[in-house]
Amino acid sequence: MSDKPVVVVTGCSQGGIGFNLCQQFAAKGCRVFATARRVNAMDGLEAFGCEKVSLDVTDEVSIEKAVAEIYEKAGHVDILVNNAGAHAIGAMLDTDMASARHCLEVNVFGTLAMCKAVGRRMAERGSGKIVNIGSVVGYVSTPWAGIYCLSKAAIHSMTDTLRMELKPFGVHVMIVAPGSIKSNFGDAAIATISLPIDSLYKQYKAVINGRANASQGPRATPTEVFAKQVVQTVLKSSPPRYFTFGHLTPLFLIFFYLPRWITDRLLSAIMVKAVKAPESEAGKKNE
């Protein structure tokens, strides 16, 4: 078997962070197993030497089958990157429960299931790294994406516990918290918007719609830049517990350390009041 570090990445569909992470790990000489629900969604990764495996993180049978295949081929896993994710956009009181459950199933329980499937084997081997993709909204929640924010906060909390529990076995567990990163995640988020006709928040429709694509602004960090920084950090002999990178991350870290009442006021101004102005201007023009 090869001496190359064996890396498994979840959620590797084209246009996403996982796809670029696979490319960068492969460029660093790793043996990369790219996974997604549909293998054809990862077309192109074979050109970088990545091996594609079908994996649905919400299906225990799928996880068991995929992990067994990877271990049969590689013998072990050095690095697991839990990147698969789902969004959910809308006010908390408007939450579509099916969408909320799906978001938590993918982001939280999918991550936990993969940690269970691979983490024990790493512990038995006495080495390994688990990288859970969190978010800056895991530090500080924002309006109009509460379910997604709580799922990422849960991942941060889960990671902290796993890090302490797996340290005696030589396994390092860390969080990567992206800021605003250019990817196809905004398009996926738009499809999850929940705004019932009887919503209390109809006046904020434009704001809520905008929140779905908020991370995809013109100054968003290019995915390849983000992926390169993440891979360089993860491959260090002693990687950090938390790695936060990307556009807007300094702002969210400031929010995290500010008194909560100040953060609430600032976020409300940014994500509620500020975006109402264009609507008001449009109304004036139509008068």
Side-chain angles (χ1 to χ4, degrees), residues 24-199:
Q24 293 297 327
F25 274 117
K28 289 294 185 178
C30 299
R31 182 177 182 182
V32 180
F33 287 91
T35 73
R37 286 179 301 167
R38 295 181 297 106
V39 170
N40 61 4
M42 300 181 283
D43 285 351
L45 283 178
E46 63 278 0
F48 298 89
C50 300
E51 300 170 61
K52 300 182 292 186
V53 178
S54 174
L55 170 62
D56 181 349
V57 299
T58 68
D59 184 335
E60 290 186 13
V61 174
S62 176
I63 291 173
E64 183 178 349
K65 181 179 178 181
V67 170
E69 178 182 342
I70 291 167
Y71 272 86
E72 182 179 354
K73 290 180 177 179
H76 68 276
V77 172
D78 294 293
I79 301 170
L80 167 65
V81 182
N82 286 307
N83 170 73
H87 226 312
I89 297 295
M92 293 292 283
L93 296 186
D94 288 341
T95 297
D96 174 80
M97 294 306 294
S99 178
R101 290 189 179 96
H102 176 69
C103 180
L104 294 175
E105 192 67 41
V106 175
N107 296 359
V108 181
F109 297 114
T111 295
L112 177 59
M114 287 301 298
C115 288
K116 285 168 62 68
V118 177
R120 182 181 182 90
R121 299 184 192 224
M122 286 181 169
E124 291 171 345
R125 186 168 180 259
S127 67
K129 297 175 184 177
I130 296 176
V131 183
N132 293 332
I133 304 298
S135 172
V136 289
V137 299
Y139 297 133
V140 181
S141 293
T142 65
W144 322 126
I147 298 299
Y148 179 73
C149 294
L150 75 86
S151 76
K152 290 301 183 178
I155 291 174
H156 287 213
S157 179
M158 180 199 312
T159 303
D160 288 340
T161 298
L162 282 170
R163 184 172 54 253
M164 291 183 282
E165 292 179 348
L166 284 173
K167 184 178 180 180
F169 299 97
V171 180
H172 179 72
V173 188
M174 65 179 288
I175 275 285
V176 168
S180 173
I181 309 298
K182 199 71 177 176
S183 72
N184 59 2
F185 205 51
D187 294 336
I190 290 171
T192 71
I193 294 173
S194 181
L195 187 68
I197 57 174
D198 61 347
S199 173

